[in-house]
Amino acid sequence: MTLKTGIALCGFGVLLLSFCTKNEPALFEKPANFPAPTYKFAENPLTADGVALGKMLFYDALLSKDNTISCGSCHQLSAGFTQHGHALSHGINDLLTKRNSMPLFNLAWSTDFGWDGGVHHLDLFPLVPLQNPSEMDETLADVLEKLRKTNQYPPLFTRAFGSPEINTERFLKALSQFMLTMVSADSRYDKAMRNEGVTLTEAEQEGLALVRQKCGNCHTGELFTDNKFRNNGLKRELNTDEGRYDITLLNEDRFRFKVPGLRNLAVTAPYMHDGRLETLEAVLDHYSSGVEDSPTLDPLLKQNGRLGIALTADEKSKILAFLQTLNDDTFLKNNRFAEFGLPEKPQQGSMATIDWSKVDLTLTNPVLKTSFDKVMGYYRDMLNGLLAEDGATVKQSALRMLNILKNVDRSQMTEQQRAFYALVYEDLGFDTEHVGETGLIAHQRDHFGDLSKNLYRLVKAFHLNKKPLYYHFCPKAVYNQGGYWLTETADSKGNPFFGKHDEACGTISHVVLE
Amino acid sequence: MHKTSYNHNPMKTILLFVASILVAMNTVAQKTGSVEIQFDNVVGNQDLVLKDKTYTNANGDEFAVSLFQYYVSNFRLTRKDGSEYVVPQDESYFLIREQRPETQRIVLKNIPKGTYVGVSFVIGVDSLRSASDVSRRQGCLDVGGEGKDMYWAWNSGYIFVKMEGRSPQVPMTGNRKDLVFMYHIGLFGGMGDKKTLNNIKAANLSFGADKVRVKTDDITRIGIKTDASKLLNGSTNVSIAANPSVMGGPYSKHIADNYATMFSYDGLKKELPAGKGAGVVGMNE
């Protein structure tokens, strides 16, 4: 209770930061260089359980009509919560939406949501993709009904809100809680602004000055947006979408769209509301020489009889250099926001900058494949042992699995596969060793969740599974820290963390690998 | 275990507290009654029959109605001296659906006893509630529940009045596969300086010569007729051929101006026979 209250207080972050216990990371903190958030936290105080529930919902495909699309499908962490490589978002039944999915971070500072600002509150935003026939094609009423029928969600709502009731307010507020924790404020620019030992290079500083001088009327402040709607002169013949006009029906709003921020641009390509520009160079070229005049063109782009913004090649390169300082790897690789977590250990050497989610690591070597097939077999034995509470079997399977993991012929892997395997093995080997060191079921269970999590990473990256793989999560496992396991059946086959004493744990199951 | 006075005092306090609440409730109950409003959806001077009956609008277009529903809210009762009793807002939102007779009977509770000469209400949902926190959108305003088909997600706001049906005048152009017309009218004016159309209308009905007396612990029943044809007829006579589908576009203003006059007082009423629905009360109950 005390802990919970402490966390809830942390939810008010800005005002009550001093009350937070030191060992609990605050759920929401206003970065020192940011303005006060606009979201009314008092109406939806963040709690650890509320955020966890929101995250669960965010990544649950149950939110879509045919249970195939989750929020996370079109808002991927490593892409700044946009959709990798999609100009227009890709929704249900392979339908495309009419606009590029917007990045999701620093939402606590936003006032209008969506490219046309048609939604005036973050809490109400999830209704849009939920109901859009080309996104999730569902109704909230149906989703709530589906959630009520699951075993896993009512206990999670109890944890978050005090009773198992699943209703509109709780659903929407849990999603907001998770989304509000997505704060990106740890870029090199931020560290420089906060005097955290980072100094921008000369070119970057000149780029910053240029952005403030030439782009700063719209891309203003620390969020680099004035949150207004403007027509930036994109060629209309390519797209008749009138943006803000659809909401206000005011002629002056024709072709106006929200001014987006400039953070994490390195991963949010393509750009503009319809994703028509693939690179930042193309964006700058648009502003310097591609602006099309029209009755609602922003006056700032038509000054002194000149269309667009005068930019020399040198200025463009400095602006591009500065924009890179707004990329925030701390945020983009933060496990707190990831569906199942990415490799956590710091990466070294030539592999340090690799984004593993973008690298094809598919394992084709037949000898290695046979080895890993055996690993999967021993994992199944281990799982069955835990279900039956047979510590000796669990121990034996773990030792056999460890033997293969340790001795697998790494020389048969590509350089990238080897680097990735080394990362995963560090954790996977550790937990497997612990499961195998004793026949004590309690100790085995303490390590089984992380073992499963890291095995999942391996299977996913190396494409080791032959059948669809299901990922299960029991929030009560391992002293309420939660635990994972994998099966090749949709049924979780019981609960390895509680075995014969299975209780209502609120297990979430996903199919994760086809 | 020590037996100290601590064990006794709290109980006494609780009993006193409960007693005082009972007294307070009783005091209120002694001075108030209820007003039941029976909505009767019609088309001109004919009863509204869904699907099977064909009507004609002022423009000469034939149409049948398959769905008709609307929000009424923020009720006020006017006394002879011009003063008003304002029904507490949380108990003052109703969604009337032609398809569900039980929604056509609404009950305004705890009305101070006395004689009233008129009633006024908002057609739709007021802008304050349209902009309120999601916790204040319960009952018929629950966008994941009772109000699910009366809300636009993409342009946050309630649909105030919804009428759908079929008409031979609907042009079979574009993607249209059916002779279906749809009028979904909403828009509350937008937030702050970000204005949208404001289609919120108010009805202000006089009880005429009727003396509507609210008596203690009693229910006074009145009727209100809702003329669905008014969406199409009025200051703008709507051509279904020209405007078969109106949802939040500029033309919605004309339909809202039209339906502002669709309500009329329909006299004192008797208790409805059993089976005509249980009646609905304010949104939080």
Side-chain angles (χ1 to χ4, degrees):
Chain A
M1 182 64 193
T2 318
L3 179 67
K4 235 183 179 173
T5 314
I7 292 166
L9 281 174
C10 290
F12 291 101
V14 197
L15 298 172
L16 299 168
L17 213 57
S18 52
F19 291 96
C20 295
T21 50
K22 284 213 174 77
N23 42 3
E24 284 294 335
L27 295 166
F28 180 87
E29 269 182 290
K30 184 189 89 65
N33 57 325
F34 275 34
T38 48
Y39 189 85
K40 291 177 187 152
F41 285 93
E43 284 174 347
N44 186 17
L46 307 196
T47 64
D49 287 327
V51 171
L53 171 61
K55 180 177 174 184
M56 209 76 84
L57 293 168
F58 187 89
Y59 284 112
D60 200 329
L62 177 148
L63 268 60
S64 63
K65 189 170 196 169
D66 61 1
N67 304 321
T68 58
I69 306 279
S70 73
C71 308
S73 304
C74 296
H75 296 282
Q76 300 159 355
L77 171 60
S78 57
F81 283 111
T82 62
Q83 193 173 23
H84 274 302
H86 281 77
L88 304 174
S89 311
H90 200 153
I92 201 162
N93 296 329
D94 286 338
L95 292 167
L96 292 174
T97 62
K98 68 175 182 175
R99 294 179 190 150
N100 185 238
S101 64
M102 293 192 88
L104 302 182
F105 49 77
N106 300 342
L107 294 168
W109 288 270
S110 195
T111 44
D112 302 280
F113 301 86
W115 283 109
D116 58 20
V119 181
H120 55 71
H121 197 294
L122 178 63
D123 293 354
L124 297 169
F125 195 82
L127 291 163
V128 179
L130 208 66
Q131 296 183 3
N132 188 333
S134 54
E135 293 183 62
M136 295 164 128
D137 195 23
E138 252 295 6
T139 68
L140 178 56
D142 282 351
V143 169
L144 296 179
E145 209 39 49
K146 282 198 268 183
L147 293 172
R148 288 176 192 127
K149 282 182 186 153
T150 61
N151 291 325
Q152 61 265 41
Y153 275 104
L156 295 175
F157 275 79
T158 301
R159 286 169 60 144
F161 298 109
S163 74
E165 191 197 338
I166 296 177
N167 61 32
T168 303
E169 182 188 356
R170 290 174 169 194
F171 173 86
L172 294 175
K173 287 193 166 172
L175 276 171
S176 284
Q177 288 197 26
F178 175 54
M179 289 191 283
L180 288 163
T181 64
M182 299 173 184
V183 175
S184 177
D186 220 14
S187 64
R188 286 187 56 236
Y189 165 81
D190 293 301
K191 288 175 184 164
M193 288 298 115
R194 295 193 298 255
N195 295 317
E196 291 172 1
V198 169
T199 313
L200 300 185
T201 67
E202 205 168 305
E204 289 165 352
Q205 287 185 22
E206 284 176 41
L208 167 59
L210 284 164
V211 165
R212 286 194 174 142
Q213 180 203 337
K214 304 210 172 201
C215 321
N217 277 316
C218 311
H219 297 290
T220 183
E222 295 302 276
L223 281 306
F224 293 91
T225 170
D226 59 359
N227 281 311
K228 291 197 170 127
F229 301 87
R230 297 174 185 271
N231 175 352
N232 66 346
L234 292 170
K235 292 201 170 35
R236 289 164 296 166
E237 69 193 48
L238 298 177
N239 190 340
T240 53
D241 185 350
E242 293 192 290
R244 183 73 179 152
Y245 171 79
D246 290 352
I247 303 302
T248 66
L249 305 174
L250 299 171
N251 283 327
E252 68 205 52
D253 281 334
R254 285 188 200 271
F255 302 103
R256 283 186 176 170
F257 293 87
K258 182 149 190 181
V259 175
L262 301 178
R263 291 169 173 276
N264 297 313
L265 291 176
V267 297
T268 60
Y271 309 100
M272 303 296 148
H273 66 271
D274 54 5
R276 68 174 71 188
L277 301 178
E278 290 183 12
T279 63
L280 290 172
E281 286 81 354
V283 171
L284 292 183
D285 289 346
H286 163 74
Y287 283 115
S288 67
S289 57
V291 170
E292 179 187 80
D293 197 9
S294 71
T296 61
L297 176 67
D298 203 278
L300 292 165
L301 293 173
K302 197 179 166 183
Q303 289 177 308
N304 308 321
R306 185 201 189 283
L307 281 179
I309 304 168
L311 290 170
T312 66
D314 180 56
E315 287 172 333
K316 284 181 188 174
S317 77
K318 284 169 179 161
I319 289 175
L320 290 172
F322 166 69
L323 291 177
Q324 295 306 319
T325 72
L326 287 171
N327 299 323
D328 176 2
D329 270 359
T330 315
F331 171 73
L332 296 171
K333 292 185 175 160
N334 191 336
N335 269 322
R336 239 172 108 187
F337 311 121
E339 183 170 14
F340 299 118
L342 302 159
E344 287 163 35
K345 293 284 181 312
Q347 300 167 33
Q348 284 157 10
S350 62
M351 301 289 165
T353 53
I354 287 185
D355 177 356
W356 292 110
S357 66
K358 288 182 183 159
V359 182
D360 183 8
L361 296 170
T362 308
L363 198 74
T364 48
N365 181 297
V367 180
L368 291 176
K369 284 185 79 141
T370 311
S371 299
F372 284 113
D373 282 350
K374 284 184 190 159
V375 167
M376 295 306 283
Y378 292 135
Y379 178 81
R380 272 192 298 274
D381 295 345
M382 201 187 304
L383 175 62
N384 289 332
L386 287 167
L387 293 171
E389 303 198 336
D390 174 0
T393 300
V394 176
K395 179 181 173 173
Q396 192 186 47
S397 324
L399 289 174
R400 285 175 176 165
M401 184 169 146
L402 183 65
N403 188 37
I404 300 178
L405 290 174
K406 201 187 275 180
N407 299 315
V408 70
D409 186 357
R410 298 192 192 189
S411 69
Q412 300 294 312
M413 295 179 186
T414 66
E415 194 191 346
Q416 288 185 332
Q417 285 170 344
R418 200 154 44 239
F420 182 81
Y421 186 73
L423 273 174
V424 175
Y425 178 75
E426 208 173 313
D427 295 323
L428 183 58
F430 172 84
D431 286 304
T432 312
E433 209 175 306
H434 274 270
V435 175
E437 76 186 354
T438 158
L440 284 176
I441 208 99
H443 182 73
Q444 292 168 337
R445 282 178 173 149
D446 287 353
H447 289 276
F448 183 70
D450 279 353
L451 185 156
S452 301
K453 199 156 78 174
N454 288 303
L455 184 63
Y456 162 74
R457 288 179 188 149
L458 194 66
V459 174
K460 184 178 183 180
F462 284 4
H463 291 101
L464 298 173
N465 61 314
K466 294 170 183 160
K467 294 185 199 168
L469 199 64
Y470 295 81
Y471 203 62
H472 311 280
F473 176 73
C474 161
K476 272 193 193 169
V478 199
Y479 323 109
N480 286 326
Q481 288 171 38
Y484 299 88
W485 70 100
L486 300 163
T487 66
E488 286 180 342
T489 54
D491 177 11
S492 63
K493 299 175 82 176
N495 185 329
F497 298 97
F498 294 99
K500 291 173 182 169
H501 308 93
D502 193 10
E503 50 178 302
C505 182
T507 299
I508 311 280
S509 302
H510 291 269
V511 58
V512 285
L513 296 174
E514 296 294 346
Chain B
M1 274 284 191
H2 297 284
K3 276 201 172 181
T4 67
S5 58
Y6 291 110
N7 287 339
H8 192 67
N9 270 343
M11 185 52 88
K12 207 171 176 181
T13 315
I14 288 167
L15 282 174
L16 271 172
F17 183 59
V18 170
S20 60
I21 285 179
L22 287 174
V23 169
M25 286 171 71
N26 206 26
T27 317
V28 174
Q30 276 170 1
K31 291 182 182 169
T32 66
S34 297
V35 173
E36 179 184 288
I37 304 176
Q38 299 168 7
F39 284 88
D40 184 11
N41 297 329
V42 299
V43 179
N45 53 14
Q46 308 173 67
D47 193 26
L48 170 60
V49 178
L50 290 180
K51 288 180 183 162
D52 298 330
K53 196 162 177 180
T54 303
Y55 308 93
T56 308
N57 71 0
N59 192 53
D61 305 335
E62 289 193 334
F63 66 98
V65 179
S66 59
L67 183 142
F68 182 53
Q69 52 201 37
Y70 48 90
Y71 278 110
V72 284
S73 68
N74 291 275
F75 281 80
R76 294 159 177 261
L77 289 162
T78 316
R79 299 186 187 89
K80 210 175 173 183
D81 64 4
S83 66
E84 284 182 323
Y85 173 72
V86 181
V87 177
Q89 209 192 26
D90 278 357
E91 292 151 29
S92 207
Y93 291 89
F94 304 92
L95 175 54
I96 316 291
R97 297 176 191 266
E98 174 60 16
Q99 270 157 325
R100 285 175 43 195
E102 76 275 14
T103 65
Q104 295 158 26
R105 258 173 84 186
I106 68 169
V107 181
L108 308 175
K109 284 180 164 179
N110 303 321
I111 308 298
K113 74 170 190 178
T115 304
Y116 294 89
V117 298
V119 61
S120 63
F121 53 90
V122 167
I123 309 169
V125 178
D126 55 287
S127 56
L128 203 63
R129 188 69 62 153
S130 296
S132 72
D133 183 71
V134 67
S135 63
R136 305 200 61 212
R137 300 156 181 256
Q138 307 288 333
C140 65
L141 296 179
D142 180 356
V143 297
E146 193 57 33
K148 64 179 178 181
D149 55 343
M150 292 295 271
Y151 187 77
W152 284 316
W154 54 276
N155 189 357
S156 302
Y158 291 93
I159 297 167
F160 303 152
V161 177
K162 196 170 187 176
M163 182 165 87
E164 296 177 1
R166 296 172 69 84
S167 166
Q169 272 74 34
V170 172
M172 293 296 276
T173 53
N175 293 328
R176 197 166 272 118
K177 296 189 182 77
D178 223 340
L179 298 169
V180 169
F181 66 80
M182 287 188 213
Y183 301 118
H184 298 181
I185 313 300
L187 299 179
F188 67 90
M191 299 286 286
D193 59 345
K194 293 148 189 157
K195 292 294 178 207
T196 68
L197 273 183
N198 187 336
N199 284 328
I200 298 174
K201 301 291 171 190
N204 207 331
L205 309 180
S206 162
F207 299 146
D210 281 355
K211 298 240 181 307
V212 175
R213 290 200 180 88
V214 174
K215 295 173 213 155
T216 306
D217 289 340
D218 201 0
I219 304 174
T220 307
R221 297 178 174 85
I222 62 169
I224 289 179
K225 265 195 192 340
T226 313
D227 183 355
S229 73
K230 287 288 171 66
L231 269 77
L232 306 172
N233 308 335
S235 52
T236 305
N237 286 329
V238 176
S239 152
I240 296 177
N243 293 287
S245 178
V246 181
M247 304 182 188
Y251 198 81
S252 65
K253 175 186 183 302
H254 302 299
I255 294 182
D257 285 342
N258 278 353
Y259 71 53
T261 64
M262 74 176 167
F263 294 99
S264 58
Y265 174 65
D266 193 29
L268 286 158
K269 295 285 171 184
K270 294 206 166 69
E271 188 172 357
L272 288 171
K276 273 290 251 179
V280 289
V281 286
M283 76 165 192
N284 278 341
E285 297 192 46

